[in-house]
Amino acid sequence: MKSGSEPDFSLQFQVEGLHARYAHALDSDRLEAWPDFFTESGRYRIATAENEARGLPLPVLSAEGRAMMRDRVASLRHANIYEPQRYRHIVSSILIEGIDRHTVRSVASFLVVRVMQDGQTLLFASGRYLDRIALAPEPLYAERVVVCDSRRFDTLLAIPL
Amino acid sequence: MKSGSEPDFSLQFQVEGLHARYAHALDSDRLEAWPDFFTESGRYRIATAENEARGLPLPVLSAEGRAMMRDRVASLRHANIYEPQRYRHIVSSILIEGIDRHTVRSVASFLVVRVMQDGQTLLFASGRYLDRIALAPEPLYAERVVVCDSRRFDTLLAIPL
Amino acid sequence: MKSGSEPDFSLQFQVEGLHARYAHALDSDRLEAWPDFFTESGRYRIATAENEARGLPLPVLSAEGRAMMRDRVASLRHANIYEPQRYRHIVSSILIEGIDRHTVRSVASFLVVRVMQDGQTLLFASGRYLDRIALAPEPLYAERVVVCDSRRFDTLLAIPL
């Protein structure tokens, strides 16, 4: 992982910052900002741990490029499914697993709770983020794979995680 | 956010440390230490996301200054409501949003679970901390606003979050 | 905590990295790697907050040294209890509380959710990690005490936390 003898605080700091801004954007219902966390041709998909382990390339949801992501956000707004709930992302155990010239690979754990309109709070999803992050000119996801621990996906389809 | 070209690890480190000490104090039932995480005239309030979004200045709970906070702790101890439960704060996505001469503005996500006396663990609250932190002579909250995702507040009144 | 005037980012970074690798190993069902996060004579135990507060030295589970840990993992695999569930550790509020020549003492909060085979996600455990970490040649737990908030331990016996 390390190229030299010093751990790279700066890199860890940048990755943690990107993850934090992403989570706050979704939790504040700033969905329109979501595509901007990716590179122009960035890829996003939600998968289950079970399917990933079996090598099944059947994502629950996937998008390639900001344009497709913007479409997705627009249709979510139109369908008006997103409105009545709130989400809260908790992200931890952010690890940098590899670095090549322009990209960092990292893994992190997440837990998302959903707060219903009547005030009830439910565990919604847990899992891992597997990320490839482009560093320049600013940190952006070149790929974000959301591997959910659960195989259940009733409503997961609705929103980005 | 950045005044120069280097990200400020030191600032992030200080803010994360303050949040961590605060969380451990509450979760260890060291309520009497709670006011000491604030400046002498520090402000604390719990609000709901709904009320904040509407600009309603109706906090669920508020305290101005350490003296008022100490009163609150004393009455909690007297009422003896706090005793039978345990809380666990999980804090993540800590972001520094602005810096002026002496103060840092930051946001963080939290999740609090409550462990009942019979051993049952429940999701209790989730939301955002919106903080103004005085840095010198040591990091302390000049203002901590706890914006809860849920509008329900049966028992939230009892303890600081 | 500080030996000089500068906060020690490097130490915090190392402790956070160890905790993150540990959590990802357990959550990815890499149980066989678990003993390797400890020093050769490292100690591990799970206790309840209630027993710790009363000074009762009755751990729910304990292991001394990697050899005993490997035995434990082997019997877990044999019993085949572990398989059908997934766990997700969320770790936050990692604080370094003391440093002596070769060891760091730290505390952290954790929350573990369990994902059942039918897809249901449950709060499983919350509590504190109390760690003594040997730094050289690489960060390893000399002692990890898992203090659970709840007194309930139906299934906690099965897996390391």
Side-chain angles (χ1 to χ4, degrees):
Chain A
M1 190 195 115
K2 300 170 207 165
S3 54
S5 57
E6 274 294 296
D8 196 333
F9 307 134
S10 165
L11 218 51
Q12 182 77 22
F13 189 83
Q14 286 177 69
V15 170
E16 292 188 358
L18 177 62
H19 287 7
R21 289 190 301 274
Y22 178 99
H24 284 296
L26 292 182
D27 294 344
S28 308
D29 195 30
R30 284 183 278 118
L31 276 184
E32 282 70 16
W34 176 62
D36 301 333
F37 289 101
F38 292 83
T39 60
E40 191 58 45
S41 59
R43 291 146 161 263
Y44 174 83
R45 64 190 169 96
I46 302 182
T48 64
E50 203 177 16
N51 279 6
E52 288 286 305
R54 290 183 185 172
L56 298 178
L58 289 170
V60 176
L61 177 157
S62 81
E64 291 200 20
R66 281 185 190 165
M68 201 187 289
M69 293 177 194
R70 282 193 196 103
D71 281 355
R72 173 143 197 92
V73 169
S75 58
L76 276 171
R77 288 299 189 200
H78 241 80
N80 217 3
I81 321 170
Y82 187 68
E83 212 63 26
Q85 292 132 26
R86 287 176 175 282
Y87 294 84
R88 181 62 53 193
H89 287 68
I90 301 292
V91 181
S92 86
S93 302
I94 298 168
L95 269 184
I96 290 175
E97 297 202 309
I99 305 166
D100 68 25
R101 233 175 308 168
H102 307 292
T103 318
V104 169
R105 278 188 306 105
S106 76
V107 61
S109 289
F110 70 85
L111 186 68
V112 180
V113 299
R114 179 158 60 162
V115 182
M116 310 305 284
Q117 225 173 352
D118 67 358
Q120 209 190 344
T121 300
L122 303 167
L123 286 175
F124 180 63
S126 68
R128 279 175 300 155
Y129 287 124
L130 302 179
D131 298 307
R132 283 194 309 110
I133 295 166
L135 293 173
E138 52 168 344
L140 293 173
Y141 299 110
E143 185 177 58
R144 162 148 273 199
V145 182
V146 186
V147 184
C148 292
D149 293 326
S150 174
R151 56 164 80 173
R152 270 207 220 162
F153 280 100
D154 356 333
T155 38
L156 268 185
L157 293 160
I159 57 137
L161 283 174
Chain B
M1 192 197 115
K2 301 169 205 163
S3 52
S5 57
E6 274 294 296
D8 196 333
F9 307 134
S10 165
L11 216 52
Q12 182 78 22
F13 189 84
Q14 286 177 68
V15 170
E16 292 187 359
L18 177 62
H19 288 6
R21 290 190 300 274
Y22 179 98
H24 284 295
L26 292 182
D27 293 345
S28 309
D29 195 29
R30 287 182 277 118
L31 276 184
E32 282 70 17
W34 176 63
D36 300 333
F37 289 101
F38 292 82
T39 59
E40 192 58 46
S41 59
R43 289 147 162 261
Y44 174 83
R45 64 191 170 94
I46 302 182
T48 65
E50 204 178 15
N51 279 6
E52 287 286 305
R54 290 185 186 170
L56 299 177
L58 289 170
V60 176
L61 177 157
S62 81
E64 292 199 21
R66 282 185 189 163
M68 200 187 289
M69 294 177 193
R70 283 193 196 103
D71 281 355
R72 174 144 196 93
V73 170
S75 58
L76 277 170
R77 289 296 190 202
H78 240 81
N80 218 4
I81 321 169
Y82 188 68
E83 211 63 28
Q85 293 132 26
R86 286 176 176 281
Y87 294 84
R88 181 64 50 193
H89 288 67
I90 301 292
V91 181
S92 87
S93 302
I94 298 168
L95 270 185
I96 291 176
E97 296 203 308
I99 306 165
D100 67 26
R101 233 175 306 169
H102 307 293
T103 319
V104 169
R105 279 187 303 106
S106 76
V107 61
S109 289
F110 69 85
L111 186 68
V112 180
V113 300
R114 179 158 60 162
V115 183
M116 310 306 285
Q117 225 173 353
D118 67 359
Q120 209 190 346
T121 300
L122 303 168
L123 286 177
F124 180 63
S126 68
R128 280 174 299 154
Y129 287 124
L130 302 179
D131 298 308
R132 282 193 310 111
I133 296 167
L135 294 173
E138 52 169 343
L140 293 173
Y141 300 111
E143 184 177 58
R144 163 148 272 199
V145 181
V146 185
V147 184
C148 291
D149 293 325
S150 174
R151 56 164 80 173
R152 270 207 221 161
F153 279 101
D154 356 336
T155 37
L156 270 185
L157 292 160
I159 57 138
L161 283 175
Chain C
M1 191 197 116
K2 302 169 207 166
S3 51
S5 57
E6 274 295 295
D8 196 334
F9 307 134
S10 164
L11 217 52
Q12 182 77 23
F13 188 83
Q14 286 176 69
V15 170
E16 292 187 359
L18 177 62
H19 287 5
R21 289 190 300 274
Y22 179 98
H24 284 295
L26 292 182
D27 293 344
S28 308
D29 195 28
R30 285 183 278 117
L31 277 184
E32 282 70 15
W34 176 64
D36 301 333
F37 289 100
F38 292 83
T39 60
E40 192 58 47
S41 60
R43 290 146 162 262
Y44 174 83
R45 64 190 168 95
I46 301 181
T48 65
E50 204 177 13
N51 279 6
E52 287 287 304
R54 289 185 186 170
L56 299 177
L58 289 170
V60 176
L61 177 159
S62 80
E64 293 199 19
R66 281 185 189 164
M68 200 187 288
M69 294 176 194
R70 283 194 196 103
D71 281 355
R72 172 142 198 94
V73 170
S75 58
L76 276 172
R77 289 297 189 201
H78 240 81
N80 217 4
I81 321 170
Y82 186 68
E83 211 62 27
Q85 292 132 26
R86 286 177 176 282
Y87 294 84
R88 179 64 51 193
H89 288 67
I90 301 291
V91 181
S92 86
S93 302
I94 299 167
L95 269 185
I96 292 176
E97 297 202 309
I99 306 165
D100 68 26
R101 232 174 309 168
H102 307 291
T103 319
V104 169
R105 279 187 304 105
S106 75
V107 61
S109 288
F110 70 85
L111 185 69
V112 181
V113 300
R114 178 158 60 160
V115 182
M116 311 304 285
Q117 226 172 353
D118 67 359
Q120 209 190 344
T121 301
L122 303 167
L123 286 176
F124 180 63
S126 68
R128 278 175 301 154
Y129 287 124
L130 302 179
D131 299 307
R132 282 194 311 110
I133 296 167
L135 293 173
E138 51 168 345
L140 293 173
Y141 299 110
E143 184 177 58
R144 162 149 272 198
V145 182
V146 185
V147 184
C148 291
D149 293 324
S150 175
R151 55 164 82 174
R152 272 208 219 158
F153 280 99
D154 357 335
T155 38
L156 269 184
L157 293 160
I159 57 139
L161 284 175

mmCIF file of all heavy atoms in Angstrom, chain A residues 86 88 115 119, chain B residues 45-61 110 126-128 130 145-154 156 161:
data_model
loop_
_atom_site.group_PDB
_atom_site.id
_atom_site.type_symbol
_atom_site.label_atom_id
_atom_site.label_comp_id
_atom_site.label_asym_id
_atom_site.label_seq_id
_atom_site.Cartn_x
_atom_site.Cartn_y
_atom_site.Cartn_z
ATOM 1 N N ARG A 86 -36.396 10.218 5.026
ATOM 2 C CA ARG A 86 -35.044 10.721 5.174
ATOM 3 C C ARG A 86 -34.106 9.544 5.349
ATOM 4 O O ARG A 86 -34.505 8.512 5.869
ATOM 5 C CB ARG A 86 -34.907 11.589 6.433
ATOM 6 C CG ARG A 86 -35.556 12.907 6.300
ATOM 7 C CD ARG A 86 -35.501 13.702 7.575
ATOM 8 N NE ARG A 86 -36.058 15.006 7.295
ATOM 9 C CZ ARG A 86 -35.400 15.970 6.659
ATOM 10 N NH1 ARG A 86 -34.132 15.795 6.308
ATOM 11 N NH2 ARG A 86 -35.988 17.116 6.400
ATOM 12 N N ARG A 88 -30.016 8.412 6.596
ATOM 13 C CA ARG A 88 -28.798 8.825 7.293
ATOM 14 C C ARG A 88 -27.740 7.765 7.038
ATOM 15 O O ARG A 88 -27.933 6.597 7.374
ATOM 16 C CB ARG A 88 -29.082 8.976 8.790
ATOM 17 C CG ARG A 88 -27.903 9.439 9.651
ATOM 18 C CD ARG A 88 -27.362 10.802 9.302
ATOM 19 N NE ARG A 88 -28.375 11.832 9.269
ATOM 20 C CZ ARG A 88 -28.177 13.046 8.749
ATOM 21 N NH1 ARG A 88 -26.989 13.378 8.253
ATOM 22 N NH2 ARG A 88 -29.156 13.922 8.723
ATOM 23 N N VAL A 115 -35.657 7.125 7.956
ATOM 24 C CA VAL A 115 -36.588 7.728 8.907
ATOM 25 C C VAL A 115 -37.896 7.996 8.176
ATOM 26 O O VAL A 115 -37.941 8.772 7.225
ATOM 27 C CB VAL A 115 -36.007 9.036 9.476
ATOM 28 C CG1 VAL A 115 -36.957 9.629 10.514
ATOM 29 C CG2 VAL A 115 -34.644 8.779 10.086
ATOM 30 N N GLY A 119 -41.964 9.231 11.747
ATOM 31 C CA GLY A 119 -40.908 9.408 12.724
ATOM 32 C C GLY A 119 -40.156 8.133 13.059
ATOM 33 O O GLY A 119 -39.113 8.171 13.709
ATOM 34 N N ARG B 45 -28.639 23.127 21.404
ATOM 35 C CA ARG B 45 -30.063 22.865 21.232
ATOM 36 C C ARG B 45 -30.292 21.630 20.376
ATOM 37 O O ARG B 45 -29.466 21.279 19.547
ATOM 38 C CB ARG B 45 -30.817 24.064 20.671
ATOM 39 C CG ARG B 45 -30.430 24.494 19.303
ATOM 40 C CD ARG B 45 -31.067 25.872 19.001
ATOM 41 N NE ARG B 45 -30.504 26.392 17.792
ATOM 42 C CZ ARG B 45 -31.046 26.235 16.572
ATOM 43 N NH1 ARG B 45 -32.182 25.593 16.430
ATOM 44 N NH2 ARG B 45 -30.450 26.726 15.506
ATOM 45 N N ILE B 46 -31.407 20.993 20.630
ATOM 46 C CA ILE B 46 -31.869 19.872 19.825
ATOM 47 C C ILE B 46 -33.049 20.371 19.010
ATOM 48 O O ILE B 46 -33.964 20.982 19.558
ATOM 49 C CB ILE B 46 -32.315 18.681 20.696
ATOM 50 C CG1 ILE B 46 -31.169 18.212 21.610
ATOM 51 C CG2 ILE B 46 -32.785 17.525 19.820
ATOM 52 C CD1 ILE B 46 -31.510 17.006 22.478
ATOM 53 N N ALA B 47 -33.004 20.138 17.706
ATOM 54 C CA ALA B 47 -34.090 20.559 16.829
ATOM 55 C C ALA B 47 -34.449 19.408 15.906
ATOM 56 O O ALA B 47 -33.748 18.400 15.863
ATOM 57 C CB ALA B 47 -33.651 21.767 16.018
ATOM 58 N N THR B 48 -35.529 19.538 15.186
ATOM 59 C CA THR B 48 -35.854 18.526 14.181
ATOM 60 C C THR B 48 -35.528 19.073 12.798
ATOM 61 O O THR B 48 -35.588 20.279 12.557
ATOM 62 C CB THR B 48 -37.355 18.159 14.211
ATOM 63 O OG1 THR B 48 -38.113 19.303 13.842
ATOM 64 C CG2 THR B 48 -37.776 17.687 15.588
ATOM 65 N N ALA B 49 -35.196 18.180 11.895
ATOM 66 C CA ALA B 49 -34.878 18.570 10.518
ATOM 67 C C ALA B 49 -36.055 19.322 9.913
ATOM 68 O O ALA B 49 -35.884 20.296 9.172
ATOM 69 C CB ALA B 49 -34.556 17.329 9.689
ATOM 70 N N GLU B 50 -37.247 18.878 10.230
ATOM 71 C CA GLU B 50 -38.461 19.506 9.701
ATOM 72 C C GLU B 50 -38.544 20.971 10.132
ATOM 73 O O GLU B 50 -38.746 21.859 9.310
ATOM 74 C CB GLU B 50 -39.665 18.732 10.245
ATOM 75 C CG GLU B 50 -40.895 18.848 9.402
ATOM 76 C CD GLU B 50 -42.016 17.992 9.998
ATOM 77 O OE1 GLU B 50 -41.906 17.575 11.176
ATOM 78 O OE2 GLU B 50 -42.998 17.759 9.287
ATOM 79 N N ASN B 51 -38.364 21.217 11.417
ATOM 80 C CA ASN B 51 -38.439 22.590 11.920
ATOM 81 C C ASN B 51 -37.299 23.458 11.387
ATOM 82 O O ASN B 51 -37.501 24.621 11.055
ATOM 83 C CB ASN B 51 -38.428 22.608 13.455
ATOM 84 C CG ASN B 51 -39.801 22.310 14.028
ATOM 85 O OD1 ASN B 51 -40.723 21.977 13.285
ATOM 86 N ND2 ASN B 51 -39.939 22.418 15.333
ATOM 87 N N GLU B 52 -36.110 22.889 11.302
ATOM 88 C CA GLU B 52 -34.979 23.639 10.759
ATOM 89 C C GLU B 52 -35.257 24.041 9.312
ATOM 90 O O GLU B 52 -34.986 25.169 8.909
ATOM 91 C CB GLU B 52 -33.686 22.809 10.822
ATOM 92 C CG GLU B 52 -33.103 22.644 12.211
ATOM 93 C CD GLU B 52 -32.434 23.908 12.738
ATOM 94 O OE1 GLU B 52 -31.528 24.445 12.060
ATOM 95 O OE2 GLU B 52 -32.839 24.354 13.824
ATOM 96 N N ALA B 53 -35.804 23.117 8.530
ATOM 97 C CA ALA B 53 -36.073 23.390 7.113
ATOM 98 C C ALA B 53 -37.113 24.495 6.966
ATOM 99 O O ALA B 53 -37.057 25.311 6.053
ATOM 100 C CB ALA B 53 -36.543 22.117 6.408
ATOM 101 N N ARG B 54 -38.065 24.541 7.877
ATOM 102 C CA ARG B 54 -39.123 25.564 7.820
ATOM 103 C C ARG B 54 -38.714 26.859 8.505
ATOM 104 O O ARG B 54 -39.498 27.802 8.575
ATOM 105 C CB ARG B 54 -40.379 25.040 8.515
ATOM 106 C CG ARG B 54 -41.076 23.922 7.763
ATOM 107 C CD ARG B 54 -42.362 23.567 8.483
ATOM 108 N NE ARG B 54 -42.998 22.399 7.880
ATOM 109 C CZ ARG B 54 -44.024 21.769 8.424
ATOM 110 N NH1 ARG B 54 -44.534 22.196 9.569
ATOM 111 N NH2 ARG B 54 -44.560 20.722 7.825
ATOM 112 N N GLY B 55 -37.519 26.866 9.095
ATOM 113 C CA GLY B 55 -37.071 28.071 9.789
ATOM 114 C C GLY B 55 -37.799 28.331 11.101
ATOM 115 O O GLY B 55 -37.812 29.444 11.604
ATOM 116 N N LEU B 56 -38.415 27.291 11.650
ATOM 117 C CA LEU B 56 -39.090 27.449 12.938
ATOM 118 C C LEU B 56 -38.074 27.375 14.064
ATOM 119 O O LEU B 56 -37.374 26.387 14.202
ATOM 120 C CB LEU B 56 -40.133 26.339 13.141
ATOM 121 C CG LEU B 56 -41.274 26.285 12.124
ATOM 122 C CD1 LEU B 56 -42.184 25.092 12.413
ATOM 123 C CD2 LEU B 56 -42.080 27.577 12.154
ATOM 124 N N PRO B 57 -37.980 28.404 14.823
ATOM 125 C CA PRO B 57 -36.973 28.405 15.890
ATOM 126 C C PRO B 57 -37.512 27.771 17.160
ATOM 127 O O PRO B 57 -37.463 28.370 18.215
ATOM 128 C CB PRO B 57 -36.698 29.895 16.082
ATOM 129 C CG PRO B 57 -38.000 30.563 15.744
ATOM 130 C CD PRO B 57 -38.771 29.648 14.832
ATOM 131 N N LEU B 58 -38.043 26.572 17.027
ATOM 132 C CA LEU B 58 -38.603 25.910 18.199
ATOM 133 C C LEU B 58 -37.794 24.682 18.560
ATOM 134 O O LEU B 58 -38.130 23.573 18.161
ATOM 135 C CB LEU B 58 -40.047 25.491 17.921
ATOM 136 C CG LEU B 58 -41.075 26.617 17.825
ATOM 137 C CD1 LEU B 58 -42.399 26.078 17.312
ATOM 138 C CD2 LEU B 58 -41.265 27.274 19.182
ATOM 139 N N PRO B 59 -36.748 24.872 19.281
ATOM 140 C CA PRO B 59 -35.943 23.701 19.619
ATOM 141 C C PRO B 59 -36.687 22.786 20.578
ATOM 142 O O PRO B 59 -37.528 23.231 21.354
ATOM 143 C CB PRO B 59 -34.720 24.298 20.302
ATOM 144 C CG PRO B 59 -35.185 25.601 20.849
ATOM 145 C CD PRO B 59 -36.248 26.099 19.911
ATOM 146 N N VAL B 60 -36.373 21.524 20.493
ATOM 147 C CA VAL B 60 -36.935 20.540 21.414
ATOM 148 C C VAL B 60 -36.362 20.770 22.807
ATOM 149 O O VAL B 60 -37.023 20.612 23.819
ATOM 150 C CB VAL B 60 -36.600 19.118 20.925
ATOM 151 C CG1 VAL B 60 -37.094 18.080 21.909
ATOM 152 C CG2 VAL B 60 -37.175 18.898 19.540
ATOM 153 N N LEU B 61 -35.121 21.173 22.793
ATOM 154 C CA LEU B 61 -34.414 21.417 24.056
ATOM 155 C C LEU B 61 -33.357 22.457 23.765
ATOM 156 O O LEU B 61 -32.734 22.425 22.710
ATOM 157 C CB LEU B 61 -33.768 20.109 24.506
ATOM 158 C CG LEU B 61 -32.910 20.070 25.763
ATOM 159 C CD1 LEU B 61 -32.873 18.637 26.276
ATOM 160 C CD2 LEU B 61 -31.483 20.549 25.521
ATOM 161 N N PHE B 110 -24.744 11.517 13.006
ATOM 162 C CA PHE B 110 -24.726 10.661 14.193
ATOM 163 C C PHE B 110 -25.880 9.664 14.156
ATOM 164 O O PHE B 110 -26.900 9.881 13.488
ATOM 165 C CB PHE B 110 -24.792 11.481 15.487
ATOM 166 C CG PHE B 110 -26.111 12.166 15.708
ATOM 167 C CD1 PHE B 110 -27.173 11.488 16.314
ATOM 168 C CD2 PHE B 110 -26.313 13.470 15.298
ATOM 169 C CE1 PHE B 110 -28.396 12.106 16.516
ATOM 170 C CE2 PHE B 110 -27.536 14.094 15.496
ATOM 171 C CZ PHE B 110 -28.578 13.425 16.099
ATOM 172 N N SER B 126 -31.218 9.650 14.951
ATOM 173 C CA SER B 126 -30.189 9.887 13.942
ATOM 174 C C SER B 126 -30.294 11.341 13.522
ATOM 175 O O SER B 126 -31.326 11.977 13.737
ATOM 176 C CB SER B 126 -30.392 8.980 12.729
ATOM 177 O OG SER B 126 -31.568 9.350 12.032
ATOM 178 N N GLY B 127 -29.210 11.849 12.958
ATOM 179 C CA GLY B 127 -29.258 13.246 12.514
ATOM 180 C C GLY B 127 -27.885 13.823 12.260
ATOM 181 O O GLY B 127 -26.931 13.086 11.996
ATOM 182 N N ARG B 128 -27.847 15.151 12.299
ATOM 183 C CA ARG B 128 -26.619 15.894 12.046
ATOM 184 C C ARG B 128 -26.261 16.749 13.247
ATOM 185 O O ARG B 128 -27.133 17.330 13.887
ATOM 186 C CB ARG B 128 -26.835 16.903 10.901
ATOM 187 C CG ARG B 128 -26.769 16.358 9.528
ATOM 188 C CD ARG B 128 -27.138 17.451 8.534
ATOM 189 N NE ARG B 128 -28.493 17.958 8.744
ATOM 190 C CZ ARG B 128 -28.925 19.173 8.401
ATOM 191 N NH1 ARG B 128 -28.094 20.036 7.854
ATOM 192 N NH2 ARG B 128 -30.185 19.534 8.609
ATOM 193 N N LEU B 130 -24.510 20.223 13.910
ATOM 194 C CA LEU B 130 -24.002 21.442 13.280
ATOM 195 C C LEU B 130 -23.257 22.213 14.359
ATOM 196 O O LEU B 130 -23.867 22.677 15.325
ATOM 197 C CB LEU B 130 -25.151 22.295 12.730
ATOM 198 C CG LEU B 130 -26.052 21.605 11.696
ATOM 199 C CD1 LEU B 130 -27.164 22.550 11.245
ATOM 200 C CD2 LEU B 130 -25.221 21.162 10.490
ATOM 201 N N VAL B 145 -25.689 22.383 17.546
ATOM 202 C CA VAL B 145 -27.095 22.191 17.201
ATOM 203 C C VAL B 145 -27.264 20.745 16.735
ATOM 204 O O VAL B 145 -26.570 20.292 15.824
ATOM 205 C CB VAL B 145 -27.540 23.162 16.081
ATOM 206 C CG1 VAL B 145 -29.030 22.959 15.767
ATOM 207 C CG2 VAL B 145 -27.268 24.605 16.487
ATOM 208 N N VAL B 146 -28.150 20.032 17.403
ATOM 209 C CA VAL B 146 -28.401 18.630 17.089
ATOM 210 C C VAL B 146 -29.685 18.570 16.266
ATOM 211 O O VAL B 146 -30.773 18.797 16.792
ATOM 212 C CB VAL B 146 -28.572 17.804 18.383
ATOM 213 C CG1 VAL B 146 -28.707 16.326 18.052
ATOM 214 C CG2 VAL B 146 -27.433 18.062 19.351
ATOM 215 N N VAL B 147 -29.537 18.325 14.983
ATOM 216 C CA VAL B 147 -30.709 18.301 14.109
ATOM 217 C C VAL B 147 -31.123 16.844 13.884
ATOM 218 O O VAL B 147 -30.464 16.107 13.145
ATOM 219 C CB VAL B 147 -30.420 18.981 12.755
ATOM 220 C CG1 VAL B 147 -31.699 19.021 11.901
ATOM 221 C CG2 VAL B 147 -29.876 20.383 12.957
ATOM 222 N N CYS B 148 -32.205 16.453 14.544
ATOM 223 C CA CYS B 148 -32.646 15.062 14.458
ATOM 224 C C CYS B 148 -33.458 14.836 13.195
ATOM 225 O O CYS B 148 -34.259 15.680 12.801
ATOM 226 C CB CYS B 148 -33.490 14.714 15.671
ATOM 227 S SG CYS B 148 -32.517 14.664 17.174
ATOM 228 N N ASP B 149 -33.257 13.675 12.583
ATOM 229 C CA ASP B 149 -33.983 13.354 11.362
ATOM 230 C C ASP B 149 -35.465 13.117 11.636
ATOM 231 O O ASP B 149 -36.309 13.415 10.806
ATOM 232 C CB ASP B 149 -33.398 12.077 10.726
ATOM 233 C CG ASP B 149 -31.987 12.303 10.213
ATOM 234 O OD1 ASP B 149 -31.694 13.407 9.731
ATOM 235 O OD2 ASP B 149 -31.179 11.354 10.295
ATOM 236 N N SER B 150 -35.755 12.582 12.771
ATOM 237 C CA SER B 150 -37.135 12.228 13.084
ATOM 238 C C SER B 150 -37.846 13.375 13.783
ATOM 239 O O SER B 150 -37.237 14.201 14.453
ATOM 240 C CB SER B 150 -37.159 10.987 13.975
ATOM 241 O OG SER B 150 -38.477 10.711 14.400
ATOM 242 N N ARG B 151 -39.150 13.417 13.643
ATOM 243 C CA ARG B 151 -39.928 14.428 14.347
ATOM 244 C C ARG B 151 -40.438 13.927 15.685
ATOM 245 O O ARG B 151 -41.046 14.663 16.445
ATOM 246 C CB ARG B 151 -41.126 14.834 13.489
ATOM 247 C CG ARG B 151 -41.987 13.628 13.123
ATOM 248 C CD ARG B 151 -43.346 14.044 12.634
ATOM 249 N NE ARG B 151 -43.281 14.470 11.246
ATOM 250 C CZ ARG B 151 -44.363 14.764 10.526
ATOM 251 N NH1 ARG B 151 -45.558 14.706 11.075
ATOM 252 N NH2 ARG B 151 -44.257 15.101 9.257
ATOM 253 N N ARG B 152 -40.194 12.671 15.947
ATOM 254 C CA ARG B 152 -40.673 12.069 17.199
ATOM 255 C C ARG B 152 -39.736 12.382 18.350
ATOM 256 O O ARG B 152 -38.524 12.189 18.218
ATOM 257 C CB ARG B 152 -40.701 10.551 17.053
ATOM 258 C CG ARG B 152 -42.012 10.047 16.530
ATOM 259 C CD ARG B 152 -42.188 8.639 17.046
ATOM 260 N NE ARG B 152 -42.748 7.789 16.008
ATOM 261 C CZ ARG B 152 -42.698 6.481 16.016
ATOM 262 N NH1 ARG B 152 -42.058 5.853 17.005
ATOM 263 N NH2 ARG B 152 -43.234 5.785 15.052
ATOM 264 N N PHE B 153 -40.298 12.771 19.474
ATOM 265 C CA PHE B 153 -39.434 13.099 20.590
ATOM 266 C C PHE B 153 -39.946 12.682 21.954
ATOM 267 O O PHE B 153 -39.841 13.426 22.920
ATOM 268 C CB PHE B 153 -39.157 14.603 20.622
ATOM 269 C CG PHE B 153 -38.095 14.953 19.660
ATOM 270 C CD1 PHE B 153 -38.431 15.509 18.438
ATOM 271 C CD2 PHE B 153 -36.778 14.701 19.938
ATOM 272 C CE1 PHE B 153 -37.460 15.809 17.532
ATOM 273 C CE2 PHE B 153 -35.793 15.007 19.023
ATOM 274 C CZ PHE B 153 -36.142 15.569 17.808
ATOM 275 N N ASP B 154 -40.507 11.500 22.018
ATOM 276 C CA ASP B 154 -41.041 10.984 23.272
ATOM 277 C C ASP B 154 -40.055 11.196 24.411
ATOM 278 O O ASP B 154 -40.304 11.883 25.395
ATOM 279 C CB ASP B 154 -41.342 9.491 23.179
ATOM 280 C CG ASP B 154 -41.115 8.925 21.788
ATOM 281 O OD1 ASP B 154 -41.180 9.707 20.827
ATOM 282 O OD2 ASP B 154 -40.859 7.715 21.675
ATOM 283 N N LEU B 156 -36.611 11.819 23.878
ATOM 284 C CA LEU B 156 -35.429 12.599 23.544
ATOM 285 C C LEU B 156 -35.208 13.709 24.553
ATOM 286 O O LEU B 156 -34.106 14.174 24.762
ATOM 287 C CB LEU B 156 -35.593 13.234 22.176
ATOM 288 C CG LEU B 156 -35.094 12.408 21.016
ATOM 289 C CD1 LEU B 156 -35.209 13.205 19.739
ATOM 290 C CD2 LEU B 156 -33.635 12.034 21.249
ATOM 291 N N LEU B 161 -27.880 14.799 23.530
ATOM 292 C CA LEU B 161 -27.459 13.908 22.445
ATOM 293 C C LEU B 161 -26.067 14.313 21.972
ATOM 294 O O LEU B 161 -25.703 15.467 22.020
ATOM 295 C CB LEU B 161 -28.435 13.992 21.274
ATOM 296 C CG LEU B 161 -29.755 13.263 21.444
ATOM 297 C CD1 LEU B 161 -30.664 13.541 20.262
ATOM 298 C CD2 LEU B 161 -29.515 11.758 21.547
#
